[in-house]
Amino acid sequence: MTKSGGDDDLVEYGFRRIIITLTAVLCALLEIVDTTIVNVALTNMRGSLGATLTDVAWVITAYAIANVIVIPMTSWLSMQFGRRNYFAVSIIIFTTASFLCGNATNIWELVAFRFIQGLGGGALLVTAQTIITESYPIAKRGMAQAIYGLGVIVGPTLGPPLGGYLVDHFSWPYIFYINIPLGIIATILTLSFVKSPQYGKKLKANQVDWWGIVFLASFIGSLQFVLEHGQQDDWFNNNLILGLSVVSVVGLLSFLWREITYKHPIVNLSVLKDGNLRIGIVMTFILGFGLYGSTLIIPIYTQSILGWTATDAGLLLIPGSIATAIMMPFIGMMIQKGVPQGYMVGVGFLTFFGFTFWMYSIMTPSTSVDNMYWALILRGIGLGLLFVPITTLSLSTLKGKQIGEGAAFTGMMRQLGGSFGIALITTFITRFSQEHRVNLVAKLDVTKVEVQQRVAQLQQGFMSKGFSSNEALGKAYQVLDFSVTKQSTILSYMDIFWYLGIMFLCCIPIIFLIKKGKTKINTADAMH
């Protein structure tokens, strides 16, 4: 860590600052987009690599596990190797792994290269924020956070439409090849323009917290796997899920013990003594839950219920992302003018509740784009009001090197919040659908005149197409069964939006626990 003079040495002006900002945002976007871009290509990957659905799900899981393992270690790794060098090497790892992913000849090669890509990508996400923050003078760091937030919030929604376009017009390897020219440009710009702060003495190999790394990897890696695969493997009825849950708990306890007792911990847990950071990581977790959870459920609803293509489902999220992009600079300016971040966070939670309630009230088997358009714009406004204020509030009462250590926690909690959100939402969609189906079938009494009339109408329709009376009756019951299944699924989506909204509404009182920090952002040495 450097003193204030050293911090000033990292501030850039004019053309250099523009180039550094664009490079850092590009790298953050590359990492975030690659989290979701593969979702629409999984079917094509299965076909060309001869993989099962369970196997191909590892393409997402491997990347996510590598991400959450490396994010908390990024602050420490930057200090060991120097910020610029670490950032450049991470871009090279990410870019090289992207090339190897595109050239994979079987599913397990692809999974291994995705894991390596995730190790490089997780480092990009956190280090990019640091570089942007330090390149701006303290008075303008609200805007710096807003610029970075743009990439983090917009990225997840850009992945599906971009992936859909590349798969539809080219082939699945191009979702990885697109990273190569951008990665080469980012590496050259990083080595040419980015500076490294002066750090203290590096640790010797025998001082490195190797056990801390092992415990962290076992805790986070096992937890991520359980969250990704729990629903499809029937949770704790599956021995692997149960075993990895135990590994995760033991890994967590061992990690906490190691970091508290070791002289040179890889993650400094003492930073969690700060009250605002503790509140901040809770709110960041909820933000990740809502951001990634809603990004998952909207495309599923539009594709499975409304029959949209993957590209159209992805494009639906773009207007909300544009709303977030427009909001970000204004949020940055409001923070610089001293508007309390707590108020903005409260309004953001309330706005996101408004979005979920709106979606809850318009979901039908034939909801149109027009019905969802303004609801998703409201979602974009809510996310804009949450991201920057929560990030700055989390760090507002920290100083110096602690800011970087605290920011690594917020980055990790946002990713874990997304993982928990996706895991819980997929689980509850299945559970709620089953419950609603049972209730709907119970009310579908075949002795009722209305039900008999509907079956007769359907039977007549099929008989007019040449089916026998018995065949037509069987098909009529199939249509009725499909209608019940569809309706129960829609009701489960409505439940998800309702509970998601309640969760955001319940977060509003948390803002009253926030201590007054700096009214203007002073994130010097953020994420060292």
Side-chain angles (χ1 to χ4, degrees):
M1 192 202 105
T2 53
K3 302 295 178 193
S4 57
D7 297 336
D8 292 339
D9 291 341
L10 298 172
V11 173
E12 300 287 358
Y13 297 92
F15 176 74
R16 281 184 66 90
R17 186 163 77 197
I18 292 170
I19 293 294
I20 289 170
T21 302
L22 289 174
T23 304
V25 169
L26 170 66
C27 290
L29 259 178
L30 277 176
E31 173 351 85
I32 292 281
V33 167
D34 261 69
T35 307
T36 55
I37 197 170
V38 298
N39 294 11
V40 294
L42 294 180
T43 304
N44 298 69
M45 289 175 183
R46 279 179 67 194
S48 66
L49 297 175
T52 65
L53 184 61
T54 307
D55 290 343
V56 86
W58 272 98
V59 175
I60 297 171
T61 305
Y63 188 82
I65 288 173
N67 257 209
V68 292
I69 288 172
V70 84
I71 285 173
M73 296 194 288
T74 298
S75 170
W76 181 84
L77 289 166
S78 282
M79 283 191 273
Q80 294 304 302
F81 301 107
R83 171 84 42 68
R84 185 186 66 181
N85 295 342
Y86 178 58
F87 194 57
V89 168
S90 298
I91 300 169
I92 293 167
I93 290 171
F94 182 85
T95 308
T96 306
S98 296
F99 172 76
L100 294 171
C101 285
N103 282 280
T105 54
N106 64 64
I107 189 65
W108 299 115
E109 269 185 31
L110 178 57
V111 168
F113 295 141
R114 273 287 279 179
F115 184 82
I116 296 167
Q117 190 192 33
L119 290 176
L124 295 184
L125 192 62
V126 182
T127 317
Q129 184 175 9
T130 316
I131 290 168
I132 290 178
T133 303
E134 291 184 336
S135 298
Y136 283 72
I138 288 170
K140 293 188 176 179
R141 284 184 177 163
M143 195 58 69
Q145 293 282 11
I147 293 167
Y148 170 75
L150 195 61
V152 172
I153 298 293
V154 172
T157 57
L158 287 181
L162 179 59
Y165 177 83
L166 292 170
V167 169
D168 290 345
H169 293 83
F170 300 97
S171 60
W172 69 260
Y174 282 87
I175 66 176
F176 299 113
Y177 291 152
I178 195 174
N179 295 331
I180 296 168
L182 298 172
I184 291 168
I185 292 166
T187 305
I188 293 167
L189 293 175
T190 297
L191 293 172
S192 303
F193 291 94
V194 174
K195 293 178 185 174
S196 278
Q198 295 301 309
Y199 294 115
K201 203 165 61 172
K202 295 179 185 176
L203 296 180
K204 295 174 184 173
N206 63 353
Q207 293 177 312
V208 173
D209 186 12
W210 298 112
W211 280 110
I213 295 171
V214 169
F215 293 143
L216 176 67
S218 62
F219 154 52
I220 294 285
S222 301
L223 176 62
Q224 188 71 31
F225 180 90
V226 169
L227 292 173
E228 295 262 348
H229 290 266
Q231 171 57 29
Q232 68 190 46
D233 295 341
D234 200 23
W235 290 104
F236 301 115
N237 293 321
N238 179 283
N239 288 336
L240 179 61
I241 295 295
L242 185 61
L244 286 177
S245 300
V246 173
V247 170
S248 185
V249 172
V250 172
L252 171 60
L253 296 174
S254 304
F255 173 71
L256 292 173
W257 167 78
R258 176 70 176 181
E259 300 312 279
I260 291 166
T261 57
Y262 191 61
K263 189 178 178 183
H264 306 288
I266 195 161
V267 177
N268 179 19
L269 297 180
S270 66
V271 75
L272 292 174
K273 292 176 183 174
D274 184 87
N276 277 9
L277 178 61
R278 289 199 302 271
I279 294 164
I281 61 176
V282 170
M283 293 195 292
T284 304
F285 183 87
I286 301 296
L287 174 61
F289 197 108
L291 170 62
Y292 288 99
S294 56
T295 304
L296 168 85
I297 195 172
I298 293 164
I300 289 177
Y301 165 65
T302 52
Q303 286 177 263
S304 65
I305 302 296
L306 304 181
W308 293 15
T309 65
T311 308
D312 288 340
L315 288 172
L316 178 67
L317 296 168
I318 297 292
S321 299
I322 293 170
T324 306
I326 293 168
M327 285 287 294
M328 285 298 193
F330 292 106
I331 298 294
M333 284 189 279
M334 286 164 71
I335 292 173
Q336 294 311 135
K337 289 179 178 175
V339 176
Q341 294 104 306
Y343 295 165
M344 283 189 268
V345 172
V347 173
F349 281 134
L350 193 61
T351 305
F352 201 89
F353 168 75
F355 151 71
T356 59
F357 185 72
W358 196 333
M359 288 299 294
Y360 169 82
S361 62
I362 62 170
M363 294 192 108
T364 69
S366 57
T367 305
S368 68
V369 177
D370 295 339
N371 292 131
M372 288 185 281
Y373 182 82
W374 289 107
L376 289 167
I377 288 202
L378 190 66
R379 171 184 180 267
I381 292 169
L383 290 172
L385 282 163
L386 288 169
F387 183 83
V388 179
I390 286 176
T391 305
T392 54
L393 271 172
S394 303
L395 313 178
S396 63
T397 47
L398 298 175
K399 293 178 182 175
K401 190 176 76 167
Q402 285 187 326
I403 295 169
E405 293 164 341
F409 275 106
T410 61
M412 181 179 73
M413 292 303 285
R414 185 172 58 249
Q415 296 296 100
L416 280 179
S419 299
F420 270 90
I422 289 167
L424 289 175
I425 284 171
T426 50
T427 299
F428 282 117
I429 283 174
T430 306
R431 303 278 164 92
F432 290 158
S433 294
Q434 290 167 349
E435 285 178 22
H436 286 303
R437 182 179 168 77
V438 168
N439 294 335
L440 288 171
V441 168
K443 292 175 183 174
L444 204 62
D445 187 351
V446 289
T447 60
K448 286 186 177 178
V449 176
E450 298 92 335
V451 176
Q452 290 174 350
Q453 285 177 341
R454 178 65 179 148
V455 171
Q457 282 174 350
L458 290 167
Q459 186 181 20
Q460 288 298 322
F462 283 115
M463 286 174 68
S464 68
K465 293 177 182 175
F467 291 98
S468 70
S469 177
N470 283 342
E471 286 175 332
L473 183 62
K475 286 194 173 290
Y477 280 123
Q478 280 180 348
V479 169
L480 213 59
D481 181 68
F482 177 74
S483 178
V484 168
T485 302
K486 196 173 186 178
Q487 190 61 43
S488 62
T489 307
I490 292 169
L491 289 169
S492 72
Y493 291 153
M494 290 169 66
D495 288 343
I496 294 293
F497 275 112
W498 178 250
Y499 288 122
L500 198 59
I502 294 297
M503 183 175 72
F504 272 75
L505 204 59
C506 290
C507 285
I508 294 175
I510 296 175
I511 65 173
F512 298 110
L513 302 174
I514 295 163
K515 293 176 186 171
K516 292 245 177 177
K518 299 155 191 157
T519 53
K520 298 192 178 183
I521 303 168
N522 181 8
T523 48
D525 285 320
M527 281 172 235
H528 275 10

